Amino acid sequence: MKAMIRKIAFLCMLMSLSTLMYAQKKVVINLETQTEGPQISKHIYGHFAEHLGRCIYGGFYVGDDETTIPNTDGVRNDIVDALKELQIPNLRWPGGCFADTYHWQDGIGPKDQRPTIVNRWWGDVTEDNSFGTHEFLNMCELLDTEPYLSGNVGSGTVKEFADWMQYVNNDGVSPMSDLRRENGREDAWGVRYWGVGNEAWGCGGNMTAEYYANVYRQFATYMGGWTNDGKVMRIASGASSNDYNWTEVLMKNIPNRLIDGIALHHYSVIDWGAKGPAVDFNEEQYFTILQRAYEMEELVTKHVAIMDKYDPEGKIDLIVDEWGGWYEVEEGTNPGFLYQQNTMRDAMIAGMTLNIFNNHADRVKMANLAQAVNVLQAVILTDEEKMILTPTYHVMRMYTAHHDATLIPMEIENVSYKRGEAELPAISASASVDKDGKKHISLVNIDSKEAYTISIPLAGLKKSAVTGEILVSDKIQNHNSFDEPNKVIPTVFKDYKVKGDQLEVTLPAVSVVMLEVK
């Protein structure tokens, strides 16, 4: 009996040791690959503001007559300040599905004379068009960001699209630029980024790829010449997730001289019929969402391979202008408003996805998180005069270090985060060097239980040259609320050691770390 007890104790000890060894298994990240990487475009860190729920009305825009909430021409000052802290490079508007029902001339001129519109895609609410072209483009100037206009192709005309471009971009004498001046704006805004419709395969017209390719060619023909330097970025409505045929048809049938970018939309969704809760999710739902988020790696790789076939010089950019987590709406809110909370799970989605974009910076030149305020994976949530910053906001702020820096290609000896027979790479990472020679390394551990030691060889390393910041919380469901707005915020990170030319980092479970090495 005693021998049996000793044998069981010995086996338990072996199991404990095995678990400890697994938890302490090192992940090696090699940055000294002697390969020069491309520039990580700051436009990868773009945002999205659709006329959807409380993103515009009751979010960004509280109206000219608002006296309780500080604002500039109806735009909330606290949102402007928060987004400027993120250094947002671009903002996409007015949609989304809304874009292909939006007629821009309804949103200009005296506000009391603008017609109303029923937002048939999102809640069937009636909007008064008080937030239109002038309001959006002036807001972009407040934000010090570049506007990205999504034009109406599904229910609009070539003339309507071309007139809009003339209205916002022409400084000369023309019917539309004269109309702009009559409406109070002397100088053109010079909008460079233009989307030629949105989701043409779905809410943008339910078109086939072949049909949309021809429609795109027609619209693109009349898009040039309205900026001072004659350059605009023409972005085709691209594929939904793994619809590789859509990319193939567009790349094959649209001449390269008529296209500058092709879009891609991909959301992290458990099941479109049962999306699961935003906060009270379980481990299985957490793992599944991260599986969906990690699909971005394969999607980018395969869509880029198709683009390479028709554009080997890499002149056409991949624009992932909708991405993020999508769950069931919060209880008691309008299902058409897509309002959801934002937890540490969303921080994992953001960190992992941005690392993927960074590591594919040779083709991925722009992306837009969906959406900025009060909708889907928002960086900001509001409730009347209150405003909170979400975990996703904090990840985006930490990653500003990568804006327009040069990618440092890496090789990772990774470990797996497993659930049943399924597994994912536990560690996600990207690295860059800025114009001042400082290296920045972003690390994400998606494992819900285990911490890992990350070993990074760096020649000539000094401990005094390393600083860090971490976003971590003790539960994957943790989030910021209006009662606890600072429950999940970044803190100083010190859990690293310098051993010779090795930087060793202990990365907690469910965490995002940004390291700076001078």
Side-chain angles (χ1 to χ4, degrees), residues 237-258:
S237 173
S240 173
S241 295
N242 62 354
D243 185 355
Y244 301 114
N245 177 68
W246 187 275
T247 299
E248 182 93 34
V249 170
L250 266 56
M251 292 299 299
K252 180 179 179 180
N253 293 343
I254 299 173
N256 287 10
R257 61 183 172 80
L258 289 179

Side-chain angles (χ1 to χ4, degrees), residues 180-191:
R180 182 190 70 240
R181 294 185 184 100
E182 290 175 19
N183 288 326
R185 174 77 182 199
E186 177 64 30
D187 298 329
W189 288 280
V191 177

Side-chain angles (χ1 to χ4, degrees), residues 259-392:
I259 184 171
D260 303 292
I262 185 168
L264 171 65
H265 290 182
H266 175 66
Y267 287 97
S268 302
V269 184
I270 293 175
D271 185 299
W272 285 106
K275 303 181 191 73
V279 174
D280 296 323
F281 53 88
N282 57 34
E283 176 86 9
E284 186 69 32
Q285 291 167 322
Y286 172 76
F287 187 88
T288 302
I289 280 290
L290 292 179
Q291 282 182 309
R292 303 292 187 267
Y294 187 66
E295 287 172 5
M296 187 68 79
E297 173 67 36
E298 178 178 331
L299 295 173
V300 169
T301 300
K302 290 186 175 181
H303 282 290
V304 166
I306 295 168
M307 296 171 72
D308 286 344
K309 184 164 62 171
Y310 296 96
D311 175 35
E313 295 180 356
K315 293 182 178 180
I316 301 171
D317 298 335
L318 182 60
I319 313 294
V320 190
D321 56 16
E322 290 188 29
W323 67 273
W326 194 320
Y327 320 115
E328 303 294 351
V329 302
E330 296 302 317
E331 186 176 352
T333 65
N334 188 321
F337 284 8
L338 305 187
Y339 177 80
Q340 61 189 40
Q341 250 298 351
N342 195 289
T343 68
M344 281 300 299
R345 174 174 64 171
D346 296 284
M348 297 300 97
I349 294 173
M352 174 196 293
T353 303
L354 293 170
N355 284 336
I356 291 170
F357 293 158
N358 288 346
N359 289 323
H360 288 277
D362 54 339
R363 272 286 190 179
V364 180
K365 299 298 184 183
M366 180 186 285
N368 299 83
L369 174 66
Q371 294 185 15
V373 183
N374 291 330
V375 172
L376 297 177
Q377 194 174 336
V379 293
I380 293 171
L381 300 177
T382 66
D383 179 13
E384 300 296 340
E385 75 283 355
K386 298 177 184 177
M387 185 194 80
I388 57 174
L389 308 177
T390 69
T392 298

Side-chain angles (χ1 to χ4, degrees), residues 26-33 355 408-414 427-431 441-444 453-458 501-503 505 507 515:
K26 287 185 179 180
V27 177
V28 180
I29 299 179
N30 181 16
L31 301 179
E32 299 175 341
T33 58
N355 284 336
I408 303 175
M410 63 172 58
E411 297 171 354
I412 304 182
E413 297 175 21
N414 218 325
I427 307 302
S428 165
S430 64
I441 306 165
S442 48
L443 303 168
V444 181
T453 298
I454 315 296
S455 181
I456 307 172
L458 289 169
D501 286 346
Q502 299 282 324
L503 174 62
V505 179
L507 198 60
L515 297 173

Side-chain angles (χ1 to χ4, degrees), residues 152-163:
N152 184 346
V153 170
S155 67
T157 65
V158 173
K159 182 181 185 304
E160 181 180 9
F161 199 122
D163 281 350

Side-chain angles (χ1 to χ4, degrees), residues 84-138:
K84 288 183 75 171
E85 182 72 17
L86 288 189
Q87 303 171 38
I88 68 167
N90 66 77
L91 185 62
R92 182 173 179 245
W93 176 85
C97 292
F98 182 82
D100 284 290
T101 61
Y102 183 67
H103 299 281
W104 68 271
Q105 291 202 38
D106 292 342
I108 60 173
K111 293 186 180 182
D112 61 357
Q113 297 178 25
R114 298 181 188 180
T116 58
I117 180 175
V118 176
N119 192 333
R120 61 177 299 266
W121 289 110
W122 307 117
D124 285 327
V125 295
T126 299
E127 299 183 9
D128 63 4
N129 268 316
S130 58
F131 190 90
T133 296
H134 287 250
E135 289 74 27
F136 173 71
L137 296 179
N138 291 343

